[in-house]
Amino acid sequence: MAEKTFTKDELKQFDGKNGHPAYVAVEGVVYDVTNSPAWKNGEHHGNLAGNDLTDALLNQSPHGKSKLAKLPVVGKLV
């Protein structure tokens, strides 16, 4: 099966609101944070699902990329 690809506009639909899944992109990889308790309603410490959070994660997050390994990968950002 081919890997799903997302444009930034397509990714914005996955904001975790109104029953939508919550996805975030980091370094071109799209992760599903829908079932993560830390991402209630598609928000986590001011970061919003449906966006590329590479800068926020790599430059502002205290845990960096360590939490990403536990999340399902759903595709890539193009």
Side-chain angles (χ1 to χ4, degrees), residues 11-41:
L11 184 63
K12 287 187 184 307
Q13 298 171 34
F14 298 91
D15 61 2
K17 308 266 189 241
N18 302 315
H20 294 134
Y23 295 171
V24 299
V26 177
E27 295 184 316
V29 178
V30 179
Y31 297 90
D32 185 345
V33 296
T34 305
N35 296 317
S36 173
W39 279 91
K40 188 170 175 137
N41 285 331

Side-chain angles (χ1 to χ4, degrees), residues 36-60:
S36 173
W39 279 91
K40 188 170 175 137
N41 285 331
E43 297 182 34
H44 177 65
H45 296 292
N47 294 302
L48 302 176
N51 290 288
D52 183 347
L53 300 180
T54 301
D55 181 63
L57 189 77
L58 299 183
N59 298 315
Q60 300 165 26

